[in-house]
């Protein structure tokens, strides 16, 4: 009913306005001389009919241009253009009609009525919006109004300002815009002034008494966005950001789409892109098994795989709760795909083999592993049973039952490992590399750094410590790490699977490492606190097995770029296969009887680059180092024998054309 009342009001108003504009046009044209006006009117055969016809024609044209169905509370440039078009069309229609009935008016009357119609019909509509916005802002509680400083003066900022001015739920007012374009300085965007460059954000924020800052440049590169957000973070104000450029294209620039800046934004870089046609060919119609499917990486792998229309996804998990909720979520979002949860442990070789024989998996993504470094230092036998023997069980079943591809999820801690977890993951990589080629299954491993937000990672720990009021604990001031997001890590695993031809270790170009101290300080600021003032940071010392920096590649000089710009493949290293198998059998038979130190010694024998950084006594650390030197000398002697006797028992992976083969 309210809608009809508004339409009737506008219709009545326009009728009066059109009649008034015609009268005013005559008064202006003839400077108010009544005699001249009457002379023109008397020259028209039926002036009342003509006036009524003009009025009716214009009302009909306005209706055609939907001037009575627009929401004028949101009137903007588009609505103004509609008013202009409607009045041009109405004027031309009137001229055409008068010509058809052989009547005419002075040409200046047509121009004057056009201008006056624009002023009268457009003025009330735009004024309605302006008055409504003024009353809406004035009616807000002053204590709830936030003063917003916008970074970026492009289309997104323009839309954002418009949204703030028109949204009935907005409790903020844009007070300024910063942009580096010199041509925009001093100008206004939808009424908000461009106050300076982004580098001036601290000073401008103080001058304008801003309460929060919004980054409104969706097309910004990850590195540039990170630099801007770090600069804005110095203000101590709440930082928020708009969706990405694709969301902007889909019209999602709205207040509800604005989100707080996350630590991922400050660590951001260009994420790995997928070869979608290649992924579709790789996965579509396949039965996919994800071990450890309920974990951080495993669950995201299941989601990423589901985009490419597999026939079935099996989630193998030892923890039933995570797997249950994941299956429910996936079944809801992808009803055309079958999702099955299997509760099992990769340590159980018979159970694993029965599953492979029964189900006939096409693709296997092996993400099941123990990954917590300090816990595995205290429980090395569990790391061996899960990360090494469990991986071997899945590899054997995959090879025996003709799986198309097997992809191991590995870690940067496998490179020159200083802890049990890293050493066991390096052995898992070696097991992948020694698998025979041409057996029908392509084996590969994917190595990446720390995953943001994964269970047990540093960021959830820091967030919890901040929630509790601090302190945030840091093991060393100089410790650095590589970081990537969970979706990015999962995409890398899929891409590597599609590229694998057998025996490769794929490595992501992860850009620059991040200093954990900087990460902690930024996270404290994002939480609304000042580091060392509101929340303290305490140094606790490196934990057993922890090193200051992680490496992604066994030897930075021995890596080849793949067709994917962000993915490298590590060239093969010497692997003592017979020795490896012998010691693995020893571990399998005696794992429960070996002491912790004996397990570490076996791991050192298997992984020549493994060097425990911390031992119970300095003498033991020295003994570890002596054995390490001896093993390296033995490796060099074995390599010399290998060159002299190419038919020896030890196998070396080498590259033959485009495939890694056993030499």
């Amino acid at each position: 009913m309210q809608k009809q009342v508004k339409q009737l009001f506008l219709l009545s108003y326009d009728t009066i306005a059109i009649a008034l504009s015609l009268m005013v046009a005559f008064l202006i044209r003839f400077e108010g001389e009544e005699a001249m006006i009457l002379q023109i009117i008397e020259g028209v055969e039926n002036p009342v009919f003509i006036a009524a016809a003009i009025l009716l024609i214009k009302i009909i044209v306005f209706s055609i241009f939907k001037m009575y169905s627009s929401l004028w509370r949101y009137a903007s440039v588009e609505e103004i253009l509609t008013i202009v078009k409607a009045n041009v069309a109405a004027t031309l229609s009137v001229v055409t009609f008068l010509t058809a009935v052989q009547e005419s008016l002075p040409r200046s009357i047509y121009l004057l009525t056009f201008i006056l119609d624009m002023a009268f019909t457009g003025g009330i509509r735009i004024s309605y919006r302006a008055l409504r916005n003024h009353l809406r802002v004035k009616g807000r509680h002053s204590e709830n109004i936030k003063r917003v400083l916008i970074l970026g003066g492009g289309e997104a900022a323009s839309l954002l300002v418009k949204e703030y001015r028109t949204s009935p739920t907005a409790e903020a007012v844009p007070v300024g815009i910063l942009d580096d374009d010199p041509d925009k300085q001093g100008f206004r965007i939808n009424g908000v002034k461009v106050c300076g460059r982004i580098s001036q954000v601290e000073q401008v924020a103080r001058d304008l008494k801003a309460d929060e800052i919004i980054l409104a440049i969706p097309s910004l590169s990850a590195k540039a966005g990170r630099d801007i957000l770090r600069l804005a973070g110095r203000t101590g104000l709440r930082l928020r950001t708009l969706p990405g450029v694709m969301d902007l294209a889909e019209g999602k620039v709205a207040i509800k789409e604005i989100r707080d800046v996350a630590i991922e934004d400050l660590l951001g870089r260009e994420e790995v892109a997928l070869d979608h046609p290649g992924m579709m060919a790789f996965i579509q119609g396949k039965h996919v098994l994800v071990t450890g499917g309920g974990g951080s990486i495993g669950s995201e792998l299941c989601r990423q795989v589901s985009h490419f229309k597999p026939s079935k996804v099996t989630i193998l998990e030892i923890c039933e709760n995570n797997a249950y909720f994941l299956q429910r979520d996936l079944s809801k979002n992808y009803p055309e795909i079958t999702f099955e949860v299997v509760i099992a442990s990769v340590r159980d070789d018979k159970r694993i083999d029965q599953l492979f024989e029964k189900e006939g998996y096409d693709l296997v993504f092996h993400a099941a592993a123990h990954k917590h470094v300090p816990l595995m230092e205290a429980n090395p036998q569990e790391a061996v049973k899960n990360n090494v023997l469990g991986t071997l069980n899945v590899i054997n079943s995959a090879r025996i039952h003709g799986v198309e591809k097997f992809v191991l999820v590995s870690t940067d801690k496998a490179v020159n490992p200083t802890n049990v977890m890293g050493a066991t993951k390096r052995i898992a990589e070696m097991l992948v590399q020694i698998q025979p080629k041409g057996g029908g299954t392509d084996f590969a491993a994917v190595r990446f750094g720390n995953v943001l937000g994964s269970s047990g990672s540093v960021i959830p720990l820091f967030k919890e410590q901040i929630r509790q009021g601090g302190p945030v604990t840091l093991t060393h001031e100089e410790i650095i790490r590589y970081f990537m997001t969970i979706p990015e890590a999962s995409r890398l695993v899929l891409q590597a699977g599609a590229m694998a031809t057998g025996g490769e270790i794929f490595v992501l170009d992860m850009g620059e490492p991040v200093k954990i101290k900087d990460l902690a300080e930024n996270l404290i600021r994002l939480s609304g606190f000042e580091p060392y003032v509101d929340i303290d940071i305490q140094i606790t010392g490196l934990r057993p097995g922890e090193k200051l920096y992680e490496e992604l590649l066994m030897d930075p000089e021995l890596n080849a770029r793949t067709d994917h710009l962000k993915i490298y493949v590590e060239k093969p290293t010497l692997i003592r296969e017979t020795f490896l198998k012998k010691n693995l059998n020893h571990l399998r038979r005696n794992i429960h009887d070996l002491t912790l130190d004996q397990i570490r010694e076996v791991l050192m024998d298997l992984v020549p680059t493994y060097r425990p950084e911390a031992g119970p006594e300095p003498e033991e650390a020295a003994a570890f180092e002596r054995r390490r030197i001896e093993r390296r000398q033995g490796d060099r002697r074995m390599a010399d024998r290998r060159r002299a006797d190419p038919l020896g028992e030890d196998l070396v992976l080498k590259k033959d054309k485009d495939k890694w083969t056993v030499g």
Side-chain angles (χ1 to χ4, degrees):
M1 188 65 173
Q2 188 178 12
K3 177 182 176 182
Q4 284 78 12
V5 170
K6 290 180 179 179
Q7 288 177 330
L8 182 60
F9 169 78
L10 281 175
L11 185 64
S12 302
Y13 172 82
D14 284 348
T15 302
I16 296 171
I18 291 168
L20 185 62
S21 67
L22 188 60
M23 294 186 337
V24 174
F26 272 96
L27 290 173
I28 293 174
R29 169 64 179 81
F30 298 106
E31 299 179 350
E33 295 184 11
E34 296 183 12
M36 293 292 294
I37 296 173
L38 290 173
Q39 183 179 346
I40 295 296
I41 294 174
E42 290 172 357
V44 177
E45 184 174 340
N46 192 343
V48 176
F49 169 75
I50 295 299
I54 291 174
L55 192 149
L56 182 61
I57 289 170
K58 290 190 175 184
I59 292 295
I60 291 174
V61 172
F62 287 175
S63 299
I64 293 173
F65 278 82
K66 303 187 184 303
M67 287 181 62
Y68 303 112
S69 58
S70 295
L71 291 172
W72 294 100
R73 73 181 70 174
Y74 303 123
S76 61
V77 175
E78 290 78 9
E79 284 70 28
I80 293 173
L81 288 175
T82 298
I83 294 170
V84 174
K85 292 175 184 177
N87 278 283
V88 169
T91 301
L92 292 177
S93 299
V94 167
V95 172
T96 302
F97 167 74
L98 292 177
T99 301
V101 298
Q102 298 182 349
E103 294 287 355
S104 65
L105 296 173
R107 283 175 291 183
S108 56
I109 294 297
Y110 299 131
L111 178 60
L112 287 169
T113 54
F114 169 75
I115 295 173
L116 292 168
D117 284 345
M118 283 282 298
F120 292 153
T121 60
I124 190 172
R125 289 165 168 83
I126 302 303
S127 298
Y128 172 68
R129 177 201 168 177
L131 179 62
R132 182 183 177 88
N133 288 345
H134 174 74
L135 293 175
R136 179 176 58 82
V137 173
K138 188 177 180 180
R140 293 175 180 166
H141 297 295
S142 58
E143 64 271 17
N144 294 330
I145 296 178
K146 294 184 176 64
R147 297 171 63 83
V148 175
L149 178 62
I150 298 174
L151 304 185
E155 180 183 357
S158 174
L159 293 172
L160 184 60
V161 171
K162 176 184 175 182
E163 178 75 9
Y164 268 118
R165 290 183 178 277
T166 59
S167 174
T169 60
E171 291 295 336
V173 175
V175 293
I177 296 173
L178 297 181
D179 194 278
D180 289 336
D181 186 348
D183 295 333
K184 295 179 181 178
Q185 302 302 315
F187 286 88
R188 293 181 179 270
I189 297 175
N190 284 346
V192 179
K193 186 178 180 179
V194 178
C195 305
R197 298 177 178 273
I198 292 176
S199 59
Q200 300 172 287
V201 60
E202 289 185 79
Q203 181 63 45
V204 174
R206 283 195 298 269
D207 293 344
L208 296 179
K209 298 180 180 179
D211 297 307
E212 65 180 47
I213 297 172
I214 297 178
L215 178 61
I217 316 177
S219 59
L220 201 64
S221 69
K223 184 180 184 304
R226 179 182 61 201
D227 294 340
I228 290 175
L229 288 172
R230 284 178 175 169
L231 184 65
R234 298 174 187 171
T235 64
L237 301 179
R238 181 186 183 188
L239 301 182
R240 307 178 77 195
T241 186
L242 282 176
V245 67
M246 293 307 297
D247 291 327
L248 174 62
E250 295 172 4
K252 293 184 179 179
V253 178
I255 292 174
K256 66 180 181 180
E257 299 294 336
I258 299 173
R259 62 172 175 80
D260 287 339
V261 170
I263 194 66
E264 289 86 344
D265 298 305
L266 296 178
L267 300 175
R269 55 188 171 77
E270 306 303 331
E271 290 195 343
V272 171
L274 274 178
D275 170 18
H276 283 267
M279 289 295 98
M280 189 64 74
F282 173 46
I283 295 174
Q284 188 173 18
K286 305 288 180 61
H287 186 176
V288 180
L289 169 67
V290 180
T291 69
S296 303
I297 297 296
S299 59
E300 184 62 25
L301 269 174
C302 293
R303 294 186 180 93
Q304 296 281 348
V305 163
S306 300
H307 293 319
F308 301 102
K309 302 179 180 179
S311 62
K312 184 176 181 180
V313 176
T314 296
I315 305 163
L316 191 147
E317 179 58 66
I318 193 65
C319 177
E320 62 184 28
N321 291 337
N322 292 347
Y324 168 74
F325 289 114
L326 176 64
Q327 180 192 32
R328 190 175 66 175
D329 181 52
L330 291 172
S331 298
K332 177 181 177 181
N333 293 326
Y334 303 95
E336 72 281 3
I337 300 173
T338 300
F339 295 96
E340 179 184 20
V341 171
V342 173
I343 303 301
S345 171
V346 295
R347 302 179 182 189
D348 189 340
D349 57 340
K350 293 183 179 179
R351 169 76 163 141
I352 293 299
D353 199 60
Q354 288 172 352
L355 289 170
F356 274 80
E357 183 177 11
K358 175 185 174 183
E359 298 294 337
Y361 306 116
D362 299 304
L363 307 174
V364 175
F365 296 99
H366 181 49
H370 286 322
K371 64 178 183 178
H372 295 272
V373 170
L375 293 180
M376 293 306 102
E377 286 300 292
N379 301 275
Q381 67 273 50
E382 298 305 313
V384 170
K385 286 190 286 185
N386 208 54
N387 298 357
V388 177
L389 302 180
T391 297
L392 183 58
N393 291 337
V394 182
I395 285 176
N396 287 337
S397 293
R399 186 185 66 250
I400 292 169
H401 297 287
V403 168
E404 181 181 326
K405 292 196 178 186
F406 172 100
V407 181
L408 167 72
V409 175
S410 190
T411 170
D412 56 358
K413 293 176 177 61
V415 184
N416 299 323
T418 59
N419 50 66
V420 168
M421 194 280 283
T424 57
K425 293 300 285 186
R426 175 57 193 148
I427 295 172
E429 291 180 353
M430 294 163 66
L431 290 173
V432 165
Q433 290 182 294
I434 66 171
Q435 295 310 306
K437 311 302 182 292
T441 303
D442 293 328
F443 292 87
V446 186
R447 186 189 294 156
F448 46 77
N450 295 272
V451 179
L452 290 170
S454 63
S455 60
S457 67
V458 67
I459 290 177
L461 172 63
F462 285 172
K463 288 182 176 179
E464 179 60 28
Q465 291 175 333
I466 292 170
R467 277 195 295 269
Q468 294 177 356
V472 170
T473 56
L474 189 65
T475 58
H476 197 284
E477 286 191 352
E478 300 301 322
I479 195 167
I480 61 174
R481 290 292 183 266
Y482 292 93
F483 281 97
M484 64 193 310
T485 65
I486 293 176
E488 186 178 22
S490 302
R491 287 195 292 269
L492 174 62
V493 174
L494 295 186
Q495 186 69 66
M499 298 167 65
T501 59
E504 302 99 335
I505 296 179
F506 292 98
V507 184
L508 173 65
D509 177 5
M510 299 188 68
E512 295 298 320
V514 176
K515 194 172 182 179
I516 303 300
K517 182 181 178 183
D518 293 342
L519 185 151
E521 291 174 350
N522 285 325
L523 195 57
I524 291 171
R525 291 190 184 99
L526 287 179
S527 302
F529 302 105
E530 184 66 24
Y532 309 106
V533 177
D534 303 312
I535 301 289
D536 194 19
I537 297 178
Q538 292 183 357
I539 307 300
T540 60
L542 290 174
R543 298 171 298 181
E546 187 175 37
K547 54 184 176 180
L548 285 178
Y549 63 93
E550 302 289 1
E551 305 157 272
L552 286 176
L553 307 172
M554 294 295 289
D555 188 338
E557 297 180 356
L558 296 176
N559 299 286
R561 185 183 291 276
T562 66
D563 291 337
H564 195 289
L565 292 178
K566 289 288 186 177
I567 300 177
Y568 291 79
V569 62
E570 181 182 89
K571 295 180 181 179
T573 55
L574 184 68
I575 297 177
R576 306 157 68 190
E577 182 178 7
T578 303
F579 184 74
L580 174 63
K581 291 180 178 178
K582 178 180 177 181
N583 277 274
L584 288 183
N585 287 333
H586 172 64
L587 280 174
R588 188 189 290 274
R589 290 193 302 268
N590 303 292
I591 189 67
H592 296 288
D593 300 322
L594 296 174
T595 66
L596 303 188
D597 290 338
Q598 287 173 333
I599 292 174
R600 288 193 179 93
E601 288 195 21
V602 174
L603 294 179
M604 290 179 68
D605 288 335
L606 290 173
V607 184
T609 57
Y610 171 39
R611 179 183 176 182
E613 289 293 324
E617 298 293 340
E619 292 79 6
E620 183 176 347
F624 278 146
E625 180 62 17
R626 284 196 300 272
R627 286 194 293 271
R628 174 184 172 83
I629 294 172
E630 291 171 359
R631 282 198 309 275
R632 291 205 170 202
Q633 292 173 343
D635 289 341
R636 283 196 292 271
R637 289 194 296 270
M638 188 183 69
D640 292 338
R641 289 198 305 270
R642 176 68 180 166
R643 285 190 289 272
D645 181 15
L647 298 180
E649 65 175 2
D650 293 307
L651 300 178
V652 180
L653 289 171
K654 64 181 182 180
K655 192 171 185 182
D656 179 18
K657 295 183 179 179
D658 293 327
K659 290 190 176 183
W660 299 109
T661 58
V662 175

